[in-house]
Amino acid sequence: MLAHQKILNLEDFFRDSNNRSPKGIYFYRINGLNSEINNFIKKYYDMARKNGVVIEGGIPNPTNQNLAYYQETMGTYFQMQESFMQNNLRKWLPRMNPTQCNAVASSIYVTLEHLKKAGKSESILKNIYMKFMCWLYYKFERITSQLGNCQVPKILYEGDISNHELLLISVLAHAGSDVVLLQYQGDSNYLKLDAQSALSEKLNLPNMTAFPEGFCLKQIREDLQQEVMQKRLYGNLPDIANCTNAWISGDIFEDIRKVPAQRGQDTRFFYNCYCRVSGVEDKQAYASKLYHVYSDLKNAGRRIVVLDTPLAQPDASEVSMIQRRNSMKAEDLIQDLACNLKYPSNLQLQRILIKNFVDIMLEASKKADMNLNKLMNYGICLLCWLKRHESVLLKNWKFPDISCLIYLGGCQNEKEAMFFKFLGRLPIDILILTPDLNQTCCLQDNLLYEQHLPDSLVLKNFPREISEIRVGTMAYHAERELDTLLYQDSGIYRNQQYQKADILTLRTTYEEIALYWREDVSFRPNFEIINQTVQIPVLWAKICGVKDGDVHAYWDSVKALMAESPYVIYRPPFRQPNANMPMKPRVVDFLTCGKLERDKIKADRYYAYGFLRPEMQEHMLDKLQLLIDKEFIKGTYENGTEYDILATILHLDISLIREIQKFDFTRKNPKLIYILANEKMMSLEDSIIMAFLHLIGFDILFLVPTGYQSVEKYFQKLEIEEHQIGQYLYDLRPPDLRKYAGKQVKSNPFGKFFKKKR
């Protein structure tokens, strides 16, 4: 029998029996954790798994079948003699050699003899003996044939051990096995069985703390599997690693100029900076400062890339260059994608790229909202963007060279953030600039160094040439600051402050129409600004009949409406059937899978809206897309009406275009009055134009004194608010209302027109 010995350090557990002095085995229980113990448990678990026994959840008691097999093989006879036990072990465990049998038999005999002296009856000793024999056969057979070898077998037990389990494991320890007990709940239960710690030693090391919640061998096993998997993914690791930001002084614009060879002397590292600067310190000097940084880097021979627009999505040709296979697991997908990082002329660079690509992809794969297809798309984007810029950033790279990438504006989405997170760990200086404090960068990274400066400056283009620098005076910047204070969350808006708008239809009483007709949209109910998009409440109503049959008052009320509206249509059709539409033959090319080909539309030589503000052009195309998508017009995607919509909207009258051009989303919106005083119905083209103008943000009133259904024929999903105000009259002849456009009527016809009967 071997005696328990005390260790000098945890590495003693991994010594061969011949190298232990004094010779013996180690039986320790661990009640807490530190980093050294954590690493030891991983290593010991791996050895016990290969050359020993790992016990999770206790040792199950022998079943009736186990006991029946033992009795069938060995009989029921029991004798409290060591020789009896030796003979039985040779028969029961034939792979054990005589030395091993003698050691185990001697240890069992000493244990049972101790129990006998403690007052246990022979029948109890027999039962314990049979339990030991079953456990040795069914749980520890692989370890019994290794006892006494130079490489000491290991037993790892997780949890609170029972009395009989402790006795048997102590038997195996004395016979030549190391034992470690992991006791997550502490030592109290163990000490009830072995109050004097006679059977094992308690491990005491500095800085030990209680086991964290959830710590278990299952987690250790998963961590080891993860390490094996990562070794497969990484291949050979690089000999050098990144030393990012640890060397910088904090003056980022000076740090980035520093020659790479002077940043640090340890050849195990390349020294790069990975920084984001938000805001500016001096508005007047900022652009000039950027230019001088750029110029100094170029003059120093540094390879540099400057981006001042969001990264364009990879096109089909770029994506087709990325080799990949169908994968069922994230690890397989990452390994396949990493194979695209081939730099045979520079294996060190290839290993750096693969390691950091795998790190970033593994981190992304663990996010809650990540799936395999999304992960593949992200990985392809990373590789495509890298290949797009590698000819400058990484071509002919040699240690300790550091190239430079400057990004003005910051990361706009998760893919961009992931890409810059990847680049920040490569031999590249990364400088992200967000001088406009109203513009945010979504990159979040513990490795990123951030500097926040007090002032804000709108800078759309990075100054690569001295001629590109535009310097504002102190007065100019002061005016911009005042502008921000006045027009941000104040309810006051500067001219053309917002570039996007959506409409919502305002449901009103008939009497409220005149009130809201002359108000700025910002004073109307439910006006709000959400994510820089104006929500415009608009009037979209049909007024049927003539109040009290009073034709004179009726037309006076329309004249009053004209004070706010320069646009009136007297009778359908507004768009003549023979109207000149030169783009009409080509509109089939402007719609692909239901989406507008905006570049093709704008490039067409007959495109008539190129003189409009760019943001208004986009607003018009957005609403044209919406008009088609929502199928507001009957026949859309049924009989080719979508092409009629395109042709009609791309050929609006210049007078309407001018109204759209001057539309400020926070002030008075354009108005249009459409009068249908006889049996003629609104045409398809007129219906398209009215629906489009409604989506643009016009207030539109249909005046139908006849009460006919002359408006609704071609509208499919656009509900018009209808008001019945009086008796129907026919064949009314509207007066010339155009001379009242934009002019206030001296009398107050609205008071008469909207006055309620008493």
Side-chain angles (χ1 to χ4, degrees), residues 294-306:
Y294 176 76
S295 178
D296 290 349
L297 291 173
K298 291 201 74 173
N299 292 337
R302 297 274 298 279
R303 298 184 301 277
I304 182 170
V305 170
V306 173

Side-chain angles (χ1 to χ4, degrees), residues 30-42 182-184 203 205-213 215-216 220:
I30 300 176
N31 302 317
L33 200 64
N34 61 24
S35 59
E36 182 185 1
I37 295 172
N38 188 61
N39 293 331
F40 164 76
I41 292 172
K42 286 184 179 181
L182 297 180
Q183 301 184 141
Y184 304 141
L203 180 67
L205 289 180
N207 303 318
M208 288 178 65
T209 59
F211 283 100
E213 187 72 24
F215 186 92
C216 61
I220 294 290

Side-chain angles (χ1 to χ4, degrees), residues 401-462:
D401 287 354
I402 302 289
S403 56
C404 183
L405 190 152
I406 301 174
Y407 188 20
L408 176 64
C411 300
Q412 304 301 303
N413 53 60
E414 193 176 1
K415 287 182 183 176
E416 284 192 5
M418 191 170 165
F419 178 59
F420 279 90
K421 204 170 185 178
F422 171 45
L423 295 184
R425 289 152 172 80
L426 303 182
I428 303 171
D429 282 342
I430 303 296
L431 179 56
I432 299 172
L433 303 171
T434 54
D436 184 358
L437 295 177
N438 294 317
Q439 188 175 9
T440 58
C441 171
C442 67
L443 174 61
Q444 299 292 327
D445 190 350
N446 293 332
L447 197 59
L448 181 69
Y449 178 82
E450 295 198 66
Q451 187 177 67
H452 298 277
L453 300 175
D455 290 330
S456 181
L457 176 68
V458 176
L459 185 68
K460 293 185 177 179
N461 301 109
F462 189 93

Side-chain angles (χ1 to χ4, degrees), residues 581-600:
M581 294 192 289
M583 293 177 76
K584 187 172 183 178
R586 292 186 296 283
V587 293
V588 293
D589 298 327
F590 296 159
L591 200 64
T592 303
C593 298
K595 298 299 178 185
L596 292 178
E597 296 283 358
R598 300 191 182 207
D599 292 338
K600 288 184 180 179

Side-chain angles (χ1 to χ4, degrees), residues 361-372:
M361 290 290 286
L362 284 174
E363 181 182 343
S365 70
K366 296 174 183 176
K367 293 183 178 179
D369 62 342
M370 188 64 66
N371 57 51
L372 205 59

Side-chain angles (χ1 to χ4, degrees), residues 611-612 653-663 698:
F611 55 80
L612 297 178
D653 285 9
I654 187 62
S655 54
L656 280 177
I657 296 304
R658 288 171 178 171
E659 288 297 304
I660 294 173
Q661 161 69 7
K662 68 182 183 181
F663 181 21
F698 275 57

